[in-house]
Amino acid sequence: MRALMLHEKNRMSIEEVEPVGSPGPGQVRITMHTVGICASDVHYWTDGKIGPFVVEAPMILGHEGAGTVVEVGEGVTHLAVGDRVAMEPGVPDPTSRAVKEGNYNVDPGVQFWATPPVHGCLADEVIHSAAYTYKLPDSMSFAEGALIEPFSVGMYAATKAEISPGDVAAVVGAGTIGIMTALAARAGGASTVYISDVLTEKLALLDGLEGIVTVDATTEDLGERVRAETGGWGPQVVFEATGAAPAYKNLWSLPAPGGRIVLVGMPVDPVPFDIATAQSRGVSLETVFRYANVHQKAIDLAASDAVDLSRFVSETFAFDDSVQAFERFLEGRPTDVKIQIAL
């Protein structure tokens, strides 16, 4: 079968690889249809590593996938051949303490697609745990199904924020994850979600979405805008979705007194934490690493009228043009949100 193989830094190609075989107990075999490109895939290609995760052997890329079940293993009852599905790319060790304590996303032994040395899903077929494979409703396209993975990050962020009905939320950064977080926060009960970015083209993609207000960070301060429109109070919930060091300078004073900050973006290097400001304002802090227990909810929400993921698919490339798709990602076009590959 075919797979997009990263051999080493700056060298990847479509290769013929061994078929995946038949699924074992509790597994399914899936023919892939659509896979989204994530920044992590690109970093492995351009840098050969992300932090401690280093590409030391050829690795299949891709972890945002949707496809069709073509074979089910022993004991699988909730899925059948022909089911259209989206997959949660991380499979933890069911015996780990992290799983037993309900935090399987931070299981040190999790097997996560396209994280060295685990192969990803940019291949004709994959074998995956049925417990982390979710049936898509008929109304949802494969493209939307492949967007469930990044949308789940936003869903998990909104869940960690413990949004109360009517809360005002602010999102720093309108990249893919910032947009997904804004959608989840709005659907999760926020009366208004303010989202800021330095790219007006990116913000324009959110035009017309009820309850979402864009703020051009090159001309306006996010905190000042929200306070001006909330009687000087500010947002109850703030999501940092850039991971950029400058965003942390005024982050700690951005929430309303007693508010909450949810750190979604991951800085490359350590950033300053103004503890005194956070303490004196009674600000609480939550962090997000991937997601846990939200994929089915993400599918259910994306299938409703509350969220339209399809508008954020910027372009779809054929599998034979996978390298060009990655090159398009590197261009960093301001109107691009999600680049996908159709197999």
Side-chain angles (χ1 to χ4, degrees):
M1 68 173 194
R2 301 171 304 163
L4 182 63
M5 189 73 71
L6 175 64
H7 295 275
E8 59 187 358
K9 176 180 175 180
N10 292 324
R11 188 167 73 91
M12 66 178 174
S13 59
I14 296 175
E15 305 285 336
E16 289 289 331
V17 299
E18 290 295 320
V20 294
S22 294
Q27 295 180 323
V28 289
R29 180 164 62 91
I30 300 161
T31 295
M32 296 303 301
H33 185 282
T34 303
V35 179
I37 299 177
C38 175
S40 65
D41 297 312
V42 177
H43 279 307
Y44 284 126
W45 175 42
T46 59
D47 302 330
K49 62 179 181 178
I50 298 177
F53 301 104
V54 181
V55 178
E56 296 178 337
M59 179 184 75
I60 299 171
L61 291 166
H63 64 264
E64 302 176 5
T68 303
V69 174
V70 292
E71 186 178 359
V72 298
E74 180 184 349
V76 177
T77 58
H78 71 288
L79 295 170
V81 172
D83 283 347
R84 300 162 60 256
V85 294
M87 293 73 75
E88 185 169 353
V91 179
D93 175 359
T95 67
S96 76
R97 183 166 177 172
V99 170
K100 293 176 181 178
E101 292 186 359
N103 302 307
Y104 68 82
N105 56 311
V106 292
D107 171 22
V110 67
Q111 298 290 296
F112 198 94
W113 276 344
T115 300
V118 182
H119 286 308
C121 64
L122 262 168
D124 286 329
E125 292 187 344
V126 295
I127 298 287
H128 200 56
S129 168
Y132 296 89
T133 301
Y134 305 86
K135 186 175 179 179
L136 295 175
D138 293 339
S139 61
M140 186 175 293
S141 67
F142 284 112
E144 291 170 295
L147 266 168
I148 291 300
E149 195 276 340
F151 186 48
S152 290
V153 177
M155 287 283 291
Y156 192 49
T159 301
K160 295 288 287 266
E162 298 181 0
I163 295 171
S164 296
D167 278 351
V168 172
V171 180
V172 183
T176 301
I177 296 303
I179 289 174
M180 297 296 112
T181 300
L183 296 175
R186 170 63 176 156
S191 58
T192 307
V193 179
Y194 293 82
I195 180 168
S196 69
D197 202 278
V198 297
L199 297 174
T200 56
E201 299 93 339
K202 194 79 73 178
L203 295 173
L205 299 172
L206 297 163
D207 286 348
L209 293 182
E210 184 178 356
I212 296 182
V213 178
T214 60
V215 178
D216 181 354
T218 65
T219 62
E220 196 170 8
D221 181 82
L222 176 61
E224 291 179 0
R225 171 70 179 274
V226 180
R227 284 189 290 272
E229 298 186 6
T230 55
W233 191 243
Q236 283 89 0
V237 178
V238 173
F239 299 94
E240 202 301 301
T242 69
Y248 285 81
K249 182 179 179 181
N250 299 317
L251 183 65
W252 317 109
S253 59
L254 181 52
R260 176 165 299 187
I261 295 174
V262 182
L263 302 179
V264 190
M266 186 174 290
V268 175
D269 298 307
V271 296
F273 179 9
D274 187 349
I275 296 174
T277 296
Q279 285 178 319
S280 63
R281 296 176 59 82
V283 172
S284 59
L285 187 68
E286 289 285 350
T287 62
V288 166
F289 183 66
R290 294 173 178 162
Y291 30 66
N293 303 307
V294 296
H295 263 67
Q296 186 60 58
K297 292 180 181 180
I299 291 171
D300 294 342
L301 185 56
S304 75
D305 293 335
V307 172
D308 177 15
L309 296 181
S310 63
R311 66 187 287 162
F312 299 109
V313 177
S314 304
E315 188 159 339
T316 303
F317 287 76
F319 188 44
D320 287 341
D321 298 325
S322 293
V323 175
Q324 290 95 311
F326 273 70
E327 291 171 344
R328 164 69 175 268
F329 187 104
L330 274 184
E331 289 180 27
R333 298 186 189 182
T335 53
D336 280 351
V337 177
K338 182 54 62 177
I339 304 297
Q340 293 184 333
I341 295 170
L343 287 86

